[in-house]
Amino acid sequence: MKKISIIGSTGSIGTQALEVIEKLRNKFEIIALAGGHNKELLEIQAKKFKPRYTVLGEEGLEKICSDKENDIILVACSGKVGLRPTLTAIKNGINIALANKETLVMAGDIVMAEAKKYGVQIIPVDSEHCAIHQCIKDISLVDKLIITASGGPFLHKSVDEMKNATVKEALAHPKWHMGKKITVDSATLMNKGLEIIEAHHLFGFNYDDIEVVIHPQSIVHSAIEYKDGSVIAQLGLPSMHIPIQYAISYPQRFEGIKSKSFSFSEIARLDFEKPDYNKFPSVKLAYQAGKVGGTMTACLNAANEEAVFAFLEGKIKLYEIYETVEKIMSEHAVILNPSIDEIFEVDKITREKTIKYLKDRHQL
Ligand code: MG
C-alpha cells in the first residue's frame, strides 16, 4: 500500500483524487487530508476514507509534510499556500504529485534544486505536463516540448468580443471544468503561460524549446519532439482523473478510473493552429517573465491573480488583466537569485501594487 496525503482534498483536484483512490482502495492508505475551509466536506471525506488525521486551514500543513510516513503527497491546493509545505515535504524525502501551479511559477529554481538534492520526484498532475512526463523516456534525446492549449471560450471570438466579455462568458470553458480562477486563466491563455514556466522547471528546457499549439479538441494533451524529428504525443479523452491517477500511482499504472475507450474514427479529426499572441498577449508575457527569471515569474503570477480577482468581482474588463500584468511587470525590480522569503515579499508587494494600480485607474 502506498501511503499518501492530500493537501487541498476538498478542492477540484482533491475531490477527484479521492474518487481515484476510492477505486484503488487496496493500493493506497491515506495518512492525512487537508482542506482549505470546507469543514463539512472534510468531515464527510474523513468518515469515508478514514485518514489517520485531518487538517483544516494552513496550520497543520507543515505537520503533514514533515510526516515521513508518507510515500507521496498530492499538493492540490491552489495559491501560494502550497509552496512552503512542498519544500518541507521535499526536505523530508517525500515524493510530490504536484497540481499546485504557484509552487513552480513562483519558486521553480529553488524547488527543483531541492528536489534534486534530496532525491525527490516531482510528478506533475497537470494534464499537459503529465502527458510530457508519459512521453519522455530519455530526456537528453528530446529537442522540444509541444504544449497544447484548447484555446478556451474566446478562441474564435473577435478581440472586441473578448474585450467586452462578461464573467459568465469567461467561465464557460468548452472542455474542462475547473475552479474559477484557473478557468479565467484558460480564457485569457494565461494558464498556458504559467504552464510554459512550469514545463521549463520540471523538464529543464529553455523557453525557446517550449512551443504552444492551439488544439481545440483537447485530445492531444501535449507532445515532445526527439532530436531525429520523431514526435511522441499522449492522447486521451479529456478527464482530470487520468493524470491524477497516473501521478499518484507512478511508476505503477492501474486501471482504477478508466476513461471511455479511445476511438480515432469517432474523433475523426484533430485541429491545430498557431496561437494569436496579439489576441492573447499572456503567453508572450509568460515567455518574457520566464526568460528574465528570478522574481519576475512570481511578479507575473501575483499581478495576474489580483487582476483576475478584480475581473471576477466585475471591477475590470477581461482585457485589462493583460494591461495590468504588463504594467506591473514593467515596474518590477527583479531579484535574480531570490530566497523563499524574498519571493514571498515580492508576491506581497506586487499584490499591493496591483490593487493600488487598479484602484487608481478606476477610482475603485
Ligand atoms: Mg493544464
Side-chain angles (χ1 to χ4, degrees), residues 101 126-128 191-192 195:
K101 285 194 188 280
D126 208 346
S127 62
E128 294 80 0
N191 184 49
K192 218 39 62 176
E195 287 178 359

Side-chain angles (χ1 to χ4, degrees), residues 79-300:
K80 59 179 184 278
V81 291
L83 180 49
R84 282 191 206 271
T86 302
L87 283 168
T88 302
I90 292 171
K91 284 198 174 76
N92 283 288
I94 304 164
N95 288 332
I96 306 287
L98 187 63
N100 174 268
K101 285 194 188 280
E102 286 77 4
T103 301
L104 292 176
V105 172
M106 288 174 71
D109 288 330
I110 296 174
V111 170
M112 294 314 287
E114 290 284 282
K116 197 174 169 198
K117 183 173 160 193
Y118 291 96
V120 160
Q121 287 180 318
I122 309 282
I123 306 143
V125 170
D126 208 346
S127 62
E128 294 80 0
H129 307 95
C130 176
I132 292 169
H133 193 267
Q134 293 183 59
C135 292
I136 290 177
K137 268 201 188 130
D138 183 346
I139 202 161
S140 69
L141 301 177
V142 179
D143 240 5
K144 189 167 89 176
L145 308 181
I146 304 155
I147 297 182
T148 53
S150 73
F154 302 117
L155 179 60
H156 295 122
K157 298 263 160 73
S158 69
V159 172
D160 277 341
E161 281 174 289
M162 208 178 150
K163 278 188 172 157
N164 296 311
T166 62
V167 171
K168 201 177 157 207
E169 283 166 338
L171 290 179
H173 197 277
K175 290 288 169 194
W176 299 97
H177 296 284
M178 306 169 287
K180 276 186 185 174
K181 195 261 172 183
I182 184 172
T183 305
V184 174
D185 281 345
S186 298
T188 60
L189 284 204
M190 183 57 90
N191 184 49
K192 218 39 62 176
L194 301 177
E195 287 178 359
I196 294 164
I197 298 168
E198 290 181 275
H200 160 82
H201 290 297
L202 276 168
F203 305 109
F205 274 68
N206 291 329
Y207 284 97
D208 288 333
D209 299 325
I210 305 171
E211 191 182 300
V212 173
V213 64
I214 302 285
H215 168 47
Q217 291 94 348
S218 295
I219 295 293
V220 176
H221 298 311
S222 277
I224 61 172
E225 186 179 310
Y226 277 94
K227 290 188 186 304
D228 64 2
S230 292
V231 174
I232 311 281
Q234 189 259 333
L235 284 70
L237 300 172
S239 152
M240 272 317 290
H241 286 117
I242 307 301
I244 293 168
Q245 182 164 275
Y246 172 88
I248 65 175
S249 309
Y250 183 82
Q252 285 177 286
R253 200 162 187 133
F254 304 121
E255 186 173 315
I257 291 186
K258 192 173 187 287
S259 79
K260 191 176 147 243
S261 191
F262 191 83
S263 162
F264 274 98
S265 52
E266 236 173 73
I267 288 159
R269 61 178 281 181
L270 299 172
D271 296 300
F272 301 94
E273 61 185 88
K274 236 184 157 144
D276 180 348
Y277 291 150
N278 293 319
K279 189 168 144 192
F280 299 106
S282 46
V283 184
K284 236 178 5 191
L285 289 171
Y287 274 116
Q288 215 177 303
K291 284 181 183 180
V292 171
T295 50
M296 192 55 97
T297 53
C299 169
L300 164 96

